[in-house]
Amino acid sequence: MPGVAEPVIDLVRRTTESVRVQTLRSTGAAVIAYVVATSTLSQPAPLTAPLTALLVVQVTLYATLTTGIRRVNAVVVGVLIASGFSSLVGLTWWSLGLTIFTSLIIGRLVRVNEFVPEVAISAMLVLGVAQVADTAWERVFETLIGAGVGLLFNLLFAPPVWVQSAGASIDGLAREMGEMLRDLGGDLGGRVTVDQAAERLHRARRIDHDIVAVDASLRQAEESLMLNPRVRQGLLYRVVLRTGLDTLEICAVVLRVLARTLTDLAKDRVDEPLFPADVASGLTELFGQLADAVESFSMLITTPVAASAEGAEARLADALTVSRTTRDRVADLLLAAVQDHPRKWQLHGALLAEVDRILDELDIEKRTERLGKELDRRSGEMHERHPRLLALRRRLDLVRRANQAQAAAGGR
């Protein structure tokens, strides 16, 4: 995809932060919240403020904004519960148990969803640091201070984008699929036992579990791109990665069916090779070329971790061209083999159909068309949901371009 390389590669240069950076960010937000709380409130140890800041500063800015309200709600509810208990009975073993029990029940009633345990955690913290609370409102103010500091911290020091890790996960999946295609092709030169074919089939099925892990990594990357001020073309990056993973997932399903077809052939031809020598050689070559195509496609869609999108596209185009040529030659060989060896002829046709499906899914023109439609669809949804936000973004883009044009004119 020419034209996409530069902005995506530029994005990679800004994705070098690691978990250690996130640790420093969380620590900094908590300390700042504590300092602000001690300077504005009379509480001697306003630990609720750093606690809330620590919870609000999430890995991605999108997660901060979408879950921050529920987190603050959970902390406020816990603070109010603990303040009530501490003013009435103080801290004892039974009041602690009653506080936890009450917090968990009320947390579900106020619908803080996955943050129900944080209601009890907040209540225990307040009950422990202040057995007799002066007022519940000061604890609530601490919570609001922590939430405000955490949100501002993420706005001023935006979290990293996780495109690089998602791209590495997708690339690993593609390489695993490519390795399996080469192994399937390498087995065709001799007699394949049923156990060997079944092992390949189980291996193909295990790829589904890898796709689940890759999807989780991609969801984190998508969240890190959303609402992030460091990214100007977040929608483009999200669509490129998501549609690319969808294509690989379809190819993984076809690969599993391909392994199933070869297993059925192995069951039928127990004491003989699956194919004649010339057909087996052609299929081995074809499967190797399909593996190159899958890996080249991965390089194309993971341009944030690739050296050049244009080079990846050229490599994919070459791999698809060679694969289609070999596929046609293998089809003629299979037709001749079926005439001499008619048993299970339908499996030969299924084999070619599965190869055609993989080649069709990896087709560059089809991918370009799919990308265009998906971008139009998501842009339309964004316009319907947030028309004012979209209009403001367009105005800001126009202002930015005008400033760039003026700067360029002044430089001349």
Side-chain angles (χ1 to χ4, degrees):
M1 293 181 330
V4 178
E6 281 304 319
V8 179
I9 291 175
D10 179 65
L11 175 65
V12 159
R13 300 191 184 104
R14 296 175 286 161
T15 57
T16 55
E17 290 104 328
S18 63
V19 176
R20 289 175 293 181
V21 176
Q22 174 61 23
T23 302
L24 292 175
R25 294 176 66 257
S26 299
T27 303
V31 171
I32 293 174
Y34 179 79
V35 171
V36 173
T38 53
S39 61
T40 57
L41 300 175
S42 60
Q43 288 289 344
L47 295 180
T48 309
L51 167 68
T52 309
L54 193 62
L55 296 176
V56 169
V57 178
Q58 295 302 295
V59 176
T60 68
L61 181 60
Y62 178 78
T64 298
L65 296 174
T66 54
T67 65
I69 295 178
R70 293 201 303 274
R71 285 185 179 275
V72 171
N73 188 24
V75 174
V76 168
V77 171
V79 167
L80 293 175
I81 293 173
S83 298
F85 273 96
S86 63
S87 61
L88 293 176
V89 296
L91 178 60
T92 63
W93 66 268
W94 61 268
S95 66
L96 175 64
L98 188 59
T99 300
I100 295 174
F101 179 80
T102 305
S103 299
L104 294 176
I105 295 297
I106 296 180
R108 298 188 182 279
L109 294 178
V110 298
R111 297 182 179 181
V112 294
N113 298 337
E114 68 271 28
F115 303 124
V116 169
E118 292 183 10
V119 179
I121 293 172
S122 303
M124 284 190 294
L125 176 65
V126 173
L127 197 63
V129 300
Q131 296 185 20
V132 180
D134 295 334
T135 62
W137 290 112
E138 289 211 1
R139 296 298 177 184
V140 173
F141 290 149
E142 288 181 31
T143 303
L144 296 178
I145 289 173
V149 170
L151 182 58
L152 288 175
F153 201 87
N154 257 359
L155 289 174
L156 296 176
F157 304 97
V161 289
W162 300 94
V163 174
Q164 190 171 14
S165 59
S169 299
I170 293 175
D171 186 65
L173 173 66
R175 291 184 182 279
E176 183 178 359
M177 293 170 60
E179 182 180 352
M180 183 171 181
L181 279 167
R182 293 187 181 94
D183 290 345
L184 285 175
D187 290 340
L188 301 179
R191 189 172 68 87
V192 179
T193 65
V194 176
D195 290 339
Q196 289 174 329
E199 191 278 331
R200 299 292 190 213
L201 178 58
H202 291 314
R203 180 179 167 189
R205 289 170 175 166
R206 287 196 296 269
I207 293 179
D208 289 341
H209 301 289
D210 298 331
I211 291 176
V212 173
V214 174
D215 182 72
S217 177
L218 179 54
R219 282 200 304 272
Q220 184 187 47
E222 289 174 323
E223 281 194 3
S224 71
L225 291 169
M226 296 175 67
L227 305 178
N228 197 316
R230 302 169 60 186
V231 181
R232 293 179 179 174
Q233 301 187 45
L235 177 61
L236 174 62
Y237 305 140
R238 296 201 307 272
V239 172
V240 167
L241 291 174
R242 175 55 63 184
T243 56
L245 179 59
D246 290 343
T247 297
L248 287 179
E249 186 173 0
I250 294 174
C251 291
V253 172
V254 178
L255 180 58
R256 186 169 68 243
V257 177
L258 184 64
R260 174 81 258 181
T261 300
L262 293 175
T263 303
D264 292 341
L265 279 171
K267 291 179 180 179
D268 182 71
R269 300 171 184 175
V270 176
D271 298 323
E272 57 184 315
L274 295 185
F275 303 97
D278 56 344
V279 177
S281 176
L283 284 172
T284 299
E285 183 180 357
L286 176 59
F287 284 5
Q289 293 165 354
L290 286 177
D292 291 339
V294 169
E295 292 169 354
S296 298
F297 179 82
S298 171
M299 184 178 295
L300 175 63
I301 65 175
T302 58
T303 44
V305 291
S308 170
E310 295 183 3
E313 183 174 332
R315 180 181 172 186
L316 175 59
D318 292 341
L320 290 175
T321 300
V322 173
S323 297
R324 291 189 176 103
T325 302
T326 305
R327 181 264 176 210
D328 293 339
R329 177 164 55 85
V330 170
D332 293 336
L333 294 173
L334 280 174
L335 179 60
V338 165
Q339 293 173 350
D340 297 333
H341 199 341
R343 293 198 342 262
K344 297 294 181 181
W345 59 267
Q346 70 275 16
L347 294 179
H348 291 196
L351 193 66
L352 287 176
E354 289 145 14
V355 170
D356 288 341
R357 182 62 185 275
I358 293 177
L359 292 173
D360 182 63
E361 287 298 325
L362 299 179
D363 184 73
I364 295 176
E365 292 184 1
K366 181 177 180 179
R367 169 158 178 78
T368 302
E369 181 182 357
R370 182 184 303 170
L371 271 177
K373 290 181 178 179
E374 187 65 15
L375 283 170
D376 291 340
R377 185 184 68 82
R378 295 202 183 190
S379 297
E381 289 180 353
M382 182 181 298
H383 182 72
E384 292 177 359
R385 293 178 183 177
H386 311 286
R388 295 181 180 177
L389 179 61
L390 188 62
L392 177 61
R393 181 176 299 176
R394 288 176 177 173
R395 290 174 187 169
L396 292 176
D397 287 340
L398 290 175
V399 172
R400 178 174 55 83
R401 291 173 184 173
N403 292 336
Q404 290 177 348
Q406 289 180 354
R412 294 172 189 166

